[in-house]
Amino acid sequence: ERAIVPILSYDYRSLEDDGDAARSYMTSDYKREYDKLFAVLEQNAPGTRTVVDVEVVASGIVRSGEDRVEVLVFVDRPTTNKQSSEPVVYKDQVRVQLVKVDDEWLVDCLITTPGASCE
């Protein structure tokens, strides 16, 4: 839950800091995937003035192993932008795979699209 908020949240006024905070919870492999998406956000968010504040509603472990765990997280994503100053709340299910790297659990895959897979 601690990783989901910084990974899915961002504010067009603080994108660099938001990206750095998110990356601190990721494996090096997943950072490369995230950076592709984040480059699009950096191009579009300032023009649309988008702010996304994620709130975790609930979570549960789907699978676990000695060095890997998959968690299902339910989130609310209140979102504002240039066209909507009142937050529009999106309700999402997010699947997160974490792997143990040294003594730290890091996000190795995050899926927000139903039916998508990490493989």
Side-chain angles (χ1 to χ4, degrees):
E1 289 182 6
R2 194 174 36 236
I4 292 303
V5 172
I7 290 174
L8 295 178
S9 299
Y10 64 92
D11 185 321
Y12 73 96
R13 296 165 292 203
S14 58
L15 286 172
E16 186 174 337
D17 291 340
D18 295 343
D20 290 344
R23 287 181 197 91
S24 71
Y25 291 96
M26 299 175 189
T27 63
S28 54
D29 286 344
Y30 189 67
K31 283 178 192 175
R32 286 190 286 277
E33 292 300 313
Y34 176 81
D35 285 344
K36 293 175 193 174
L37 170 64
F38 203 75
V40 174
L41 290 178
E42 289 176 311
Q43 289 175 351
N44 295 322
T48 60
R49 296 185 190 160
T50 302
V51 177
V52 179
D53 290 314
V54 170
E55 301 166 3
V56 174
V57 176
S59 67
I61 294 173
V62 177
R63 289 181 194 82
S64 67
E66 192 172 305
D67 62 352
R68 182 173 295 272
V69 66
E70 184 174 333
V71 180
L72 178 62
V73 185
F74 295 89
V75 298
D76 287 346
R77 283 189 305 122
T79 303
T80 59
N81 58 36
K82 191 164 55 173
Q83 296 177 330
S84 177
S85 60
E86 287 300 312
V88 175
V89 179
Y90 299 95
K91 297 181 176 293
D92 293 319
Q93 296 178 31
V94 181
R95 287 189 3 243
V96 184
Q97 283 187 1
L98 297 113
V99 295
K100 195 167 189 180
V101 178
D102 298 322
D103 288 330
E104 196 172 17
W105 287 95
L106 299 174
V107 173
D108 195 45
C109 179
L110 187 140
I111 299 171
T112 58
T113 306
S117 150
C118 286
E119 306 333 309

